[in-house]
Amino acid sequence: MKSLWFIICGVLGGILAGMGMGGGTLTIPLLVLVLGVGQSLAQTVNLVAFLPTGVLALGIHFKNKLVDVKNATAILVPALPASVLSSIFATDLDGQLLSKLFGVFLVVTAISSFFVQTLKKA
Amino acid sequence: MEGIEHVNVNQYLGKKKFATPNKKDKVKKTVILGVAGLFIGFVNGLFGAGGGMLAVPLLTMVAGLNTKRSHATAILVILPLCLVSAVIYLSKGVYDKDVFAPTILGVVIGGLMGAYALKKCSNIALQILFYGVMLFAGLKMIF
């Protein structure tokens, strides 16, 4: 029965992700707040869940020639080692602290993104 | 249409110089992308998410890509980052099949639904909804 709740969480998070609106944004809070999953586990699930969808989507985007490899590489070259470093010590951090930090990140991103977007439209 | 969008964004954000690149600006652009990349990689590794939310505006504003290309290129950025983080997290034993299997199934289903829904409705109400949810979720996680 609990499996059904996880599926629902995944669907809700996935819908947002499918609309190009950031995958982990809803999935992780739902898992942690509603289903009591640990922060690290929720993050891992989110990461793994993105992989198949990401690969499929990327394939389609490449086919449609929408991918700018040069710019992506400029970002990726420093991003990869940074990710390795933070991933390694992320799991050692206290789950509660990590949840709060993630919450701060979400709030900051929501507010700034909203203003940047509405600025663009105006 | 794409050209107009490009110029508008650049003018509005005062980064018009990127519209007509010369050697110095290209180097500047690469450096900014690189520094931002450090941050994006760090955040995505720390939180297991969020890389996309940072990468898309970065690509739009600094690399000057239009919305579609920004989103598409962002996936090329996030995918390797997520793969690397996933491998590290899993190697540390963070795993629970009772959580993984159903959630991943849900995400895949939801992803298809969302991709389909996007075609039907892309407007400012969606953005308000999304950022509203994000804000709410974020606050809940802090307190």
Side-chain angles (χ1 to χ4, degrees):
Chain A
M1 197 48 215
K2 196 140 199 230
S3 293
L4 188 59
W5 287 109
F6 285 119
I7 294 181
I8 294 175
C9 261
V11 170
L12 290 172
I15 290 179
L16 238 53
M19 298 210 250
M21 294 175 162
T25 312
L26 196 54
T27 319
I28 295 177
L30 274 179
L31 285 173
V32 172
L33 295 170
V34 178
L35 292 173
V37 175
Q39 179 72 17
S40 289
L41 184 59
Q43 291 181 190
T44 314
V45 173
N46 182 56
L47 287 167
V48 174
F50 170 67
L51 297 176
T53 330
V55 170
L56 283 170
L58 195 59
I60 298 175
H61 293 324
F62 263 115
K63 223 168 89 173
N64 294 332
K65 300 204 197 285
L66 286 173
V67 184
D68 188 328
V69 180
K70 239 171 101 177
N71 279 307
T73 313
I75 302 177
L76 262 181
V77 167
L80 275 169
S83 183
V84 170
L85 268 166
S86 61
S87 301
I88 291 178
F89 78 77
T91 41
D92 293 328
L93 282 178
D94 172 46
Q96 297 260 39
L97 174 65
L98 205 52
S99 296
K100 290 195 199 290
L101 286 175
F102 186 58
V104 171
F105 173 71
L106 285 180
V107 170
V108 170
T109 312
I111 297 177
S112 53
S113 301
F114 182 70
F115 280 118
V116 169
Q117 293 256 8
T118 31
L119 212 81
K120 255 176 87 169
K121 298 266 184 199
Chain B
M1 218 39 213
E2 286 178 15
I4 294 173
E5 189 184 333
H6 174 87
V7 168
N8 276 344
V9 171
N10 283 339
Q11 273 179 334
Y12 217 94
L13 296 172
K15 290 202 187 343
K16 197 173 179 185
K17 53 189 170 175
F18 291 130
T20 48
N22 59 44
K23 190 76 194 271
K24 205 174 113 183
D25 286 335
K26 276 191 179 170
V27 171
K28 223 176 183 176
K29 187 175 90 169
T30 311
V31 169
I32 296 178
L33 288 177
V35 172
L38 274 176
F39 184 63
I40 291 177
F42 181 76
V43 166
N44 201 67
L46 185 66
F47 295 133
M53 283 183 277
L54 299 171
V56 171
L58 175 70
L59 288 165
T60 314
M61 295 194 283
V62 177
L65 301 182
N66 65 41
T67 313
K68 267 193 197 171
R69 291 180 67 94
S70 297
H71 278 92
T73 308
I75 300 186
L76 178 57
V77 172
I78 320 170
L79 204 54
L81 293 179
C82 285
L83 180 62
V84 156
S85 293
V87 166
I88 293 178
Y89 281 28
L90 287 171
S91 74
K92 291 191 146 211
V94 184
Y95 179 75
D96 183 342
K97 77 170 190 308
D98 292 329
V99 175
F100 264 68
T103 312
I104 293 179
L105 175 66
V107 169
V108 172
I109 295 175
L112 287 168
M113 289 170 62
Y116 178 71
L118 186 62
K119 283 192 176 180
K120 298 242 159 174
C121 45
S122 344
N123 51 39
I124 206 150
L126 258 186
Q127 279 179 21
I128 295 179
L129 169 71
F130 174 59
Y131 293 123
V133 167
M134 199 200 267
L135 187 63
F136 177 72
L139 289 170
K140 271 289 198 169
M141 294 208 75
I142 299 176
F143 301 111

